[in-house]
Amino acid sequence: TTKVSKKELDNKKFSKLCKDTGIMGKLVTSTDVDICFSKHKPKGGRTINLKQFNAVLDDLCLKRFPKKESVDEKKEAIRTLIAGKGPKTAGTTKVSKKEEQIA
């Protein structure tokens, strides 16, 4: 496995972010997200940086908000959608102190 720095995002985490923040849905599928991610990641690379993240969002906003008039409105709408949000932790389990000591 490759180590992902805090300033980079791999496809799995990016897909989770899109699902948890509402980018993915009826208009944007997981395939759309994967294609956009692959289009902007470096050749042979597995992660995207902030600049590439913004480029992926710019692509996805066109599909996610087809009724908005201008491209700028679409870009603003997708950023408003994800602002202050991150991947949800529902469904994850916390390891108790006792279980950690046993392992």
Side-chain angles (χ1 to χ4, degrees), residues 1-54:
T1 60
T2 50
K3 188 174 181 186
V4 178
S5 76
K6 291 190 183 217
K7 294 185 180 182
E8 293 183 330
L9 210 54
D10 64 10
N11 194 9
K12 183 178 177 184
K13 288 182 180 160
F14 182 72
S15 289
K16 181 166 174 37
L17 176 83
C18 289
K19 190 175 181 184
D20 292 348
T21 57
I23 292 173
M24 209 183 290
K26 288 181 182 175
L27 298 172
V28 178
T29 65
S30 61
T31 304
D32 295 326
V33 170
D34 290 343
I35 290 169
C36 283
F37 186 92
S38 295
K39 180 178 161 186
H40 291 285
K41 73 174 178 58
K43 191 171 182 113
R46 299 177 66 109
T47 60
I48 57 172
N49 61 26
L50 183 60
K51 184 179 179 184
Q52 294 156 336
F53 173 78
N54 282 314

Short mmCIF file of all heavy atoms in Angstrom, two decimals, residues 1-54:
data_model
loop_
_atom_site.label_atom_id
_atom_site.label_comp_id
_atom_site.label_asym_id
_atom_site.label_seq_id
_atom_site.Cartn_x
_atom_site.Cartn_y
_atom_site.Cartn_z
N THR A 1 0.83 -1.20 0.00
CA THR A 1 0.00 0.00 0.00
C THR A 1 0.87 1.25 0.00
O THR A 1 1.96 1.25 0.54
CB THR A 1 -0.92 0.04 1.24
OG1 THR A 1 -0.11 0.03 2.39
CG2 THR A 1 -1.87 -1.14 1.25
N THR A 2 0.35 2.29 -0.60
CA THR A 2 1.08 3.55 -0.61
C THR A 2 0.54 4.45 0.48
O THR A 2 -0.65 4.45 0.77
CB THR A 2 0.93 4.27 -1.98
OG1 THR A 2 -0.45 4.31 -2.31
CG2 THR A 2 1.70 3.56 -3.06
N LYS A 3 1.43 5.20 1.08
CA LYS A 3 1.03 6.10 2.15
C LYS A 3 0.49 7.39 1.54
O LYS A 3 1.11 7.97 0.66
CB LYS A 3 2.22 6.39 3.06
CG LYS A 3 1.83 7.16 4.30
CD LYS A 3 2.98 7.31 5.24
CE LYS A 3 2.49 8.07 6.47
NZ LYS A 3 3.56 8.39 7.38
N VAL A 4 -0.67 7.83 2.01
CA VAL A 4 -1.29 9.06 1.53
C VAL A 4 -1.02 10.16 2.55
O VAL A 4 -1.32 10.00 3.72
CB VAL A 4 -2.82 8.86 1.35
CG1 VAL A 4 -3.47 10.14 0.89
CG2 VAL A 4 -3.09 7.75 0.37
N SER A 5 -0.44 11.25 2.07
CA SER A 5 -0.17 12.37 2.99
C SER A 5 -1.49 13.09 3.27
O SER A 5 -2.48 12.90 2.59
CB SER A 5 0.85 13.33 2.38
OG SER A 5 0.24 14.13 1.39
N LYS A 6 -1.46 13.94 4.29
CA LYS A 6 -2.68 14.67 4.66
C LYS A 6 -3.06 15.69 3.60
O LYS A 6 -4.17 16.19 3.60
CB LYS A 6 -2.47 15.37 6.01
CG LYS A 6 -2.40 14.38 7.14
CD LYS A 6 -2.44 15.06 8.47
CE LYS A 6 -2.29 14.00 9.54
NZ LYS A 6 -3.02 14.18 10.69
N LYS A 7 -2.15 16.00 2.69
CA LYS A 7 -2.44 16.98 1.66
C LYS A 7 -2.89 16.32 0.35
O LYS A 7 -3.07 16.99 -0.64
CB LYS A 7 -1.22 17.87 1.41
CG LYS A 7 -0.89 18.72 2.62
CD LYS A 7 0.23 19.67 2.33
CE LYS A 7 0.51 20.51 3.56
NZ LYS A 7 1.54 21.49 3.34
N GLU A 8 -3.02 15.00 0.37
CA GLU A 8 -3.44 14.29 -0.82
C GLU A 8 -4.62 13.38 -0.50
O GLU A 8 -4.87 13.05 0.65
CB GLU A 8 -2.29 13.45 -1.38
CG GLU A 8 -1.15 14.30 -1.91
CD GLU A 8 -0.05 13.46 -2.52
OE1 GLU A 8 0.15 12.32 -2.08
OE2 GLU A 8 0.59 13.96 -3.45
N LEU A 9 -5.33 12.99 -1.54
CA LEU A 9 -6.54 12.19 -1.40
C LEU A 9 -6.48 11.05 -2.42
O LEU A 9 -6.19 11.30 -3.59
CB LEU A 9 -7.73 13.09 -1.70
CG LEU A 9 -9.07 12.87 -1.05
CD1 LEU A 9 -8.95 12.83 0.47
CD2 LEU A 9 -10.04 13.96 -1.45
N ASP A 10 -6.76 9.82 -1.96
CA ASP A 10 -6.83 8.73 -2.93
C ASP A 10 -8.27 8.57 -3.39
O ASP A 10 -9.19 9.21 -2.86
CB ASP A 10 -6.24 7.43 -2.37
CG ASP A 10 -7.00 6.88 -1.17
OD1 ASP A 10 -8.10 7.37 -0.86
OD2 ASP A 10 -6.49 5.95 -0.54
N ASN A 11 -8.47 7.72 -4.39
CA ASN A 11 -9.80 7.59 -5.00
C ASN A 11 -10.84 7.07 -4.00
O ASN A 11 -11.98 7.52 -3.99
CB ASN A 11 -9.72 6.67 -6.22
CG ASN A 11 -10.97 6.75 -7.08
OD1 ASN A 11 -11.83 7.60 -6.88
ND2 ASN A 11 -11.05 5.87 -8.04
N LYS A 12 -10.44 6.15 -3.15
CA LYS A 12 -11.37 5.58 -2.17
C LYS A 12 -11.89 6.66 -1.22
O LYS A 12 -13.09 6.77 -0.98
CB LYS A 12 -10.67 4.47 -1.38
CG LYS A 12 -11.55 3.76 -0.40
CD LYS A 12 -10.79 2.66 0.31
CE LYS A 12 -11.65 2.00 1.35
NZ LYS A 12 -10.92 0.99 2.12
N LYS A 13 -10.99 7.47 -0.71
CA LYS A 13 -11.40 8.53 0.21
C LYS A 13 -12.18 9.63 -0.51
O LYS A 13 -13.12 10.20 0.04
CB LYS A 13 -10.18 9.12 0.92
CG LYS A 13 -9.61 8.16 1.95
CD LYS A 13 -8.44 8.74 2.68
CE LYS A 13 -7.93 7.73 3.68
NZ LYS A 13 -6.57 7.99 4.10
N PHE A 14 -11.78 9.91 -1.75
CA PHE A 14 -12.51 10.93 -2.51
C PHE A 14 -13.93 10.46 -2.80
O PHE A 14 -14.89 11.23 -2.67
CB PHE A 14 -11.77 11.27 -3.81
CG PHE A 14 -12.46 12.35 -4.59
CD1 PHE A 14 -12.43 13.66 -4.16
CD2 PHE A 14 -13.16 12.05 -5.74
CE1 PHE A 14 -13.10 14.66 -4.86
CE2 PHE A 14 -13.82 13.04 -6.45
CZ PHE A 14 -13.79 14.35 -6.01
N SER A 15 -14.10 9.19 -3.18
CA SER A 15 -15.43 8.65 -3.44
C SER A 15 -16.30 8.70 -2.19
O SER A 15 -17.48 9.05 -2.25
CB SER A 15 -15.34 7.20 -3.93
OG SER A 15 -14.81 7.17 -5.22
N LYS A 16 -15.71 8.37 -1.04
CA LYS A 16 -16.44 8.42 0.23
C LYS A 16 -16.86 9.85 0.53
O LYS A 16 -17.99 10.11 0.95
CB LYS A 16 -15.59 7.84 1.36
CG LYS A 16 -16.31 7.85 2.71
CD LYS A 16 -15.61 6.99 3.71
CE LYS A 16 -16.17 7.06 5.10
NZ LYS A 16 -17.61 7.17 5.24
N LEU A 17 -15.96 10.80 0.31
CA LEU A 17 -16.27 12.20 0.51
C LEU A 17 -17.46 12.62 -0.36
O LEU A 17 -18.39 13.27 0.11
CB LEU A 17 -15.05 13.07 0.20
CG LEU A 17 -15.28 14.57 0.29
CD1 LEU A 17 -15.15 15.04 1.73
CD2 LEU A 17 -14.31 15.32 -0.58
N CYS A 18 -17.43 12.22 -1.63
CA CYS A 18 -18.51 12.58 -2.56
C CYS A 18 -19.84 11.97 -2.12
O CYS A 18 -20.88 12.62 -2.21
CB CYS A 18 -18.17 12.13 -3.98
SG CYS A 18 -16.86 13.10 -4.72
N LYS A 19 -19.79 10.75 -1.65
CA LYS A 19 -21.01 10.08 -1.20
C LYS A 19 -21.55 10.73 0.07
O LYS A 19 -22.74 11.03 0.17
CB LYS A 19 -20.70 8.61 -0.94
CG LYS A 19 -21.91 7.76 -0.70
CD LYS A 19 -21.51 6.29 -0.58
CE LYS A 19 -22.72 5.42 -0.36
NZ LYS A 19 -22.36 4.03 -0.15
N ASP A 20 -20.68 10.98 1.04
CA ASP A 20 -21.09 11.52 2.33
C ASP A 20 -21.53 12.97 2.27
O ASP A 20 -22.32 13.42 3.11
CB ASP A 20 -19.96 11.37 3.36
CG ASP A 20 -19.70 9.92 3.73
OD1 ASP A 20 -20.51 9.05 3.38
OD2 ASP A 20 -18.67 9.66 4.37
N THR A 21 -21.04 13.74 1.30
CA THR A 21 -21.40 15.16 1.23
C THR A 21 -22.56 15.43 0.27
O THR A 21 -23.01 16.56 0.16
CB THR A 21 -20.20 16.02 0.80
OG1 THR A 21 -19.71 15.54 -0.46
CG2 THR A 21 -19.10 16.00 1.83
N GLY A 22 -23.02 14.38 -0.42
CA GLY A 22 -24.17 14.56 -1.30
C GLY A 22 -23.83 14.93 -2.73
O GLY A 22 -24.73 15.23 -3.53
N ILE A 23 -22.56 14.90 -3.10
CA ILE A 23 -22.20 15.14 -4.51
C ILE A 23 -22.71 13.96 -5.34
O ILE A 23 -23.32 14.13 -6.38
CB ILE A 23 -20.68 15.31 -4.68
CG1 ILE A 23 -20.21 16.59 -4.02
CG2 ILE A 23 -20.30 15.30 -6.16
CD1 ILE A 23 -18.71 16.77 -3.97
N MET A 24 -22.46 12.75 -4.83
CA MET A 24 -22.91 11.55 -5.52
C MET A 24 -24.39 11.34 -5.24
O MET A 24 -24.84 11.51 -4.11
CB MET A 24 -22.09 10.36 -5.00
CG MET A 24 -21.89 9.25 -5.98
SD MET A 24 -21.01 7.85 -5.26
CE MET A 24 -19.36 8.48 -5.04
N GLY A 25 -25.13 11.00 -6.27
CA GLY A 25 -26.57 10.78 -6.11
C GLY A 25 -27.19 10.42 -7.44
O GLY A 25 -26.57 9.72 -8.25
N LYS A 26 -28.39 10.94 -7.71
CA LYS A 26 -29.08 10.62 -8.96
C LYS A 26 -28.33 11.14 -10.19
O LYS A 26 -28.30 10.49 -11.22
CB LYS A 26 -30.49 11.22 -8.95
CG LYS A 26 -31.45 10.51 -8.04
CD LYS A 26 -32.83 11.15 -8.11
CE LYS A 26 -33.78 10.46 -7.15
NZ LYS A 26 -35.09 11.13 -7.12
N LEU A 27 -27.76 12.33 -10.07
CA LEU A 27 -27.11 12.95 -11.23
C LEU A 27 -25.64 12.56 -11.39
O LEU A 27 -25.11 12.55 -12.49
CB LEU A 27 -27.22 14.48 -11.13
CG LEU A 27 -28.64 15.03 -11.14
CD1 LEU A 27 -28.63 16.52 -10.83
CD2 LEU A 27 -29.30 14.78 -12.49
N VAL A 28 -24.98 12.27 -10.29
CA VAL A 28 -23.56 11.92 -10.32
C VAL A 28 -23.39 10.52 -9.72
O VAL A 28 -23.70 10.31 -8.56
CB VAL A 28 -22.70 12.94 -9.52
CG1 VAL A 28 -21.25 12.54 -9.51
CG2 VAL A 28 -22.87 14.34 -10.09
N THR A 29 -22.91 9.60 -10.54
CA THR A 29 -22.75 8.21 -10.09
C THR A 29 -21.32 7.97 -9.61
O THR A 29 -20.43 8.80 -9.84
CB THR A 29 -23.05 7.23 -11.23
OG1 THR A 29 -22.05 7.41 -12.26
CG2 THR A 29 -24.44 7.45 -11.81
N SER A 30 -21.09 6.83 -9.00
CA SER A 30 -19.74 6.48 -8.56
C SER A 30 -18.81 6.35 -9.76
O SER A 30 -17.63 6.68 -9.68
CB SER A 30 -19.75 5.18 -7.74
OG SER A 30 -20.23 4.11 -8.51
N THR A 31 -19.35 5.92 -10.90
CA THR A 31 -18.55 5.83 -12.13
C THR A 31 -18.11 7.21 -12.57
O THR A 31 -16.95 7.40 -12.97
CB THR A 31 -19.37 5.13 -13.24
OG1 THR A 31 -19.79 3.85 -12.77
CG2 THR A 31 -18.54 4.95 -14.50
N ASP A 32 -19.01 8.19 -12.51
CA ASP A 32 -18.66 9.58 -12.86
C ASP A 32 -17.52 10.08 -11.99
O ASP A 32 -16.57 10.71 -12.47
CB ASP A 32 -19.87 10.51 -12.69
CG ASP A 32 -21.00 10.20 -13.65
OD1 ASP A 32 -20.73 9.79 -14.78
OD2 ASP A 32 -22.16 10.38 -13.23
N VAL A 33 -17.62 9.80 -10.69
CA VAL A 33 -16.59 10.24 -9.74
C VAL A 33 -15.26 9.57 -10.08
O VAL A 33 -14.22 10.23 -10.13
CB VAL A 33 -17.03 9.93 -8.28
CG1 VAL A 33 -15.88 10.15 -7.31
CG2 VAL A 33 -18.23 10.78 -7.90
N ASP A 34 -15.28 8.26 -10.33
CA ASP A 34 -14.05 7.53 -10.67
C ASP A 34 -13.41 8.07 -11.95
O ASP A 34 -12.19 8.24 -12.01
CB ASP A 34 -14.33 6.03 -10.84
CG ASP A 34 -14.67 5.35 -9.52
OD1 ASP A 34 -14.38 5.93 -8.46
OD2 ASP A 34 -15.22 4.24 -9.56
N ILE A 35 -14.22 8.33 -12.96
CA ILE A 35 -13.70 8.83 -14.24
C ILE A 35 -13.06 10.21 -14.05
O ILE A 35 -11.96 10.46 -14.54
CB ILE A 35 -14.81 8.87 -15.31
CG1 ILE A 35 -15.17 7.44 -15.72
CG2 ILE A 35 -14.38 9.69 -16.53
CD1 ILE A 35 -16.42 7.32 -16.58
N CYS A 36 -13.74 11.10 -13.34
CA CYS A 36 -13.20 12.45 -13.10
C CYS A 36 -11.90 12.37 -12.30
O CYS A 36 -10.95 13.08 -12.59
CB CYS A 36 -14.21 13.32 -12.38
SG CYS A 36 -15.50 13.94 -13.45
N PHE A 37 -11.89 11.51 -11.28
CA PHE A 37 -10.70 11.35 -10.46
C PHE A 37 -9.53 10.88 -11.33
O PHE A 37 -8.43 11.45 -11.29
CB PHE A 37 -10.94 10.36 -9.31
CG PHE A 37 -9.80 10.25 -8.35
CD1 PHE A 37 -9.76 11.05 -7.22
CD2 PHE A 37 -8.77 9.35 -8.56
CE1 PHE A 37 -8.70 10.97 -6.33
CE2 PHE A 37 -7.70 9.26 -7.68
CZ PHE A 37 -7.68 10.06 -6.56
N SER A 38 -9.76 9.85 -12.14
CA SER A 38 -8.71 9.29 -13.00
C SER A 38 -8.22 10.30 -14.02
O SER A 38 -7.03 10.32 -14.35
CB SER A 38 -9.22 8.04 -13.72
OG SER A 38 -9.50 7.03 -12.78
N LYS A 39 -9.12 11.12 -14.50
CA LYS A 39 -8.77 12.14 -15.50
C LYS A 39 -7.77 13.17 -14.94
O LYS A 39 -6.91 13.66 -15.65
CB LYS A 39 -10.06 12.83 -15.95
CG LYS A 39 -9.89 13.91 -16.97
CD LYS A 39 -11.26 14.45 -17.35
CE LYS A 39 -11.18 15.80 -17.99
NZ LYS A 39 -12.50 16.39 -18.22
N HIS A 40 -7.89 13.47 -13.65
CA HIS A 40 -7.07 14.54 -13.06
C HIS A 40 -5.88 14.06 -12.23
O HIS A 40 -5.02 14.86 -11.89
CB HIS A 40 -7.95 15.47 -12.23
CG HIS A 40 -8.88 16.28 -13.08
ND1 HIS A 40 -8.46 17.35 -13.81
CD2 HIS A 40 -10.20 16.12 -13.34
CE1 HIS A 40 -9.49 17.84 -14.48
NE2 HIS A 40 -10.56 17.11 -14.21
N LYS A 41 -5.81 12.78 -11.90
CA LYS A 41 -4.66 12.30 -11.12
C LYS A 41 -3.46 12.19 -12.05
O LYS A 41 -3.61 12.01 -13.26
CB LYS A 41 -4.96 10.97 -10.44
CG LYS A 41 -5.02 9.78 -11.37
CD LYS A 41 -5.17 8.50 -10.58
CE LYS A 41 -5.27 7.30 -11.48
NZ LYS A 41 -4.17 7.07 -12.38
N PRO A 42 -2.25 12.30 -11.50
CA PRO A 42 -1.06 12.17 -12.35
C PRO A 42 -0.97 10.77 -12.95
O PRO A 42 -1.40 9.80 -12.33
CB PRO A 42 0.10 12.43 -11.40
CG PRO A 42 -0.47 12.79 -10.09
CD PRO A 42 -1.93 12.55 -10.12
N LYS A 43 -0.42 10.67 -14.14
CA LYS A 43 -0.26 9.37 -14.80
C LYS A 43 0.60 8.47 -13.91
O LYS A 43 1.69 8.84 -13.50
CB LYS A 43 0.39 9.57 -16.15
CG LYS A 43 0.37 8.34 -17.03
CD LYS A 43 0.84 8.66 -18.43
CE LYS A 43 0.73 7.41 -19.27
NZ LYS A 43 -0.27 7.53 -20.32
N GLY A 44 0.08 7.30 -13.60
CA GLY A 44 0.80 6.36 -12.75
C GLY A 44 0.64 6.65 -11.26
O GLY A 44 1.08 5.89 -10.42
N GLY A 45 -0.01 7.76 -10.93
CA GLY A 45 -0.21 8.13 -9.53
C GLY A 45 -1.51 7.56 -8.99
O GLY A 45 -2.35 7.07 -9.73
N ARG A 46 -1.64 7.62 -7.67
CA ARG A 46 -2.85 7.09 -7.04
C ARG A 46 -3.60 8.17 -6.26
O ARG A 46 -4.67 7.90 -5.72
CB ARG A 46 -2.45 5.96 -6.09
CG ARG A 46 -1.78 4.80 -6.80
CD ARG A 46 -1.35 3.75 -5.81
NE ARG A 46 -2.50 3.13 -5.18
CZ ARG A 46 -2.90 1.90 -5.40
NH1 ARG A 46 -2.23 1.13 -6.21
NH2 ARG A 46 -3.95 1.41 -4.79
N THR A 47 -3.02 9.35 -6.15
CA THR A 47 -3.63 10.39 -5.33
C THR A 47 -3.72 11.71 -6.10
O THR A 47 -3.05 11.90 -7.11
CB THR A 47 -2.81 10.64 -4.04
OG1 THR A 47 -1.48 11.05 -4.42
CG2 THR A 47 -2.73 9.39 -3.18
N ILE A 48 -4.56 12.61 -5.57
CA ILE A 48 -4.65 13.96 -6.12
C ILE A 48 -4.31 14.96 -5.02
O ILE A 48 -4.52 14.69 -3.85
CB ILE A 48 -6.05 14.26 -6.70
CG1 ILE A 48 -7.16 14.07 -5.65
CG2 ILE A 48 -6.32 13.44 -7.95
CD1 ILE A 48 -8.55 14.54 -6.08
N ASN A 49 -3.78 16.10 -5.44
CA ASN A 49 -3.49 17.18 -4.49
C ASN A 49 -4.64 18.20 -4.52
O ASN A 49 -5.65 17.97 -5.20
CB ASN A 49 -2.14 17.83 -4.82
CG ASN A 49 -2.10 18.45 -6.21
OD1 ASN A 49 -3.12 18.83 -6.78
ND2 ASN A 49 -0.91 18.53 -6.79
N LEU A 50 -4.49 19.29 -3.82
CA LEU A 50 -5.57 20.28 -3.72
C LEU A 50 -5.94 20.88 -5.08
O LEU A 50 -7.12 21.04 -5.39
CB LEU A 50 -5.18 21.39 -2.73
CG LEU A 50 -6.25 22.45 -2.49
CD1 LEU A 50 -7.53 21.82 -1.92
CD2 LEU A 50 -5.74 23.52 -1.54
N LYS A 51 -4.94 21.19 -5.87
CA LYS A 51 -5.20 21.78 -7.20
C LYS A 51 -6.01 20.80 -8.06
O LYS A 51 -6.98 21.18 -8.71
CB LYS A 51 -3.88 22.12 -7.88
CG LYS A 51 -4.02 22.81 -9.21
CD LYS A 51 -2.66 23.15 -9.79
CE LYS A 51 -2.81 23.81 -11.15
NZ LYS A 51 -1.52 24.08 -11.78
N GLN A 52 -5.62 19.53 -8.03
CA GLN A 52 -6.33 18.50 -8.80
C GLN A 52 -7.72 18.25 -8.21
O GLN A 52 -8.67 18.02 -8.96
CB GLN A 52 -5.50 17.21 -8.82
CG GLN A 52 -4.20 17.38 -9.59
CD GLN A 52 -3.13 16.38 -9.17
OE1 GLN A 52 -3.15 15.85 -8.06
NE2 GLN A 52 -2.17 16.14 -10.05
N PHE A 53 -7.84 18.32 -6.89
CA PHE A 53 -9.13 18.17 -6.21
C PHE A 53 -10.11 19.23 -6.72
O PHE A 53 -11.25 18.94 -7.05
CB PHE A 53 -8.91 18.30 -4.70
CG PHE A 53 -10.19 18.34 -3.88
CD1 PHE A 53 -10.88 17.17 -3.60
CD2 PHE A 53 -10.68 19.53 -3.37
CE1 PHE A 53 -12.05 17.19 -2.84
CE2 PHE A 53 -11.83 19.56 -2.62
CZ PHE A 53 -12.52 18.39 -2.35
N ASN A 54 -9.63 20.48 -6.81
CA ASN A 54 -10.48 21.56 -7.31
C ASN A 54 -10.88 21.34 -8.76
O ASN A 54 -12.01 21.63 -9.16
CB ASN A 54 -9.79 22.91 -7.14
CG ASN A 54 -9.87 23.40 -5.71
OD1 ASN A 54 -10.92 23.36 -5.09
ND2 ASN A 54 -8.76 23.83 -5.16
#
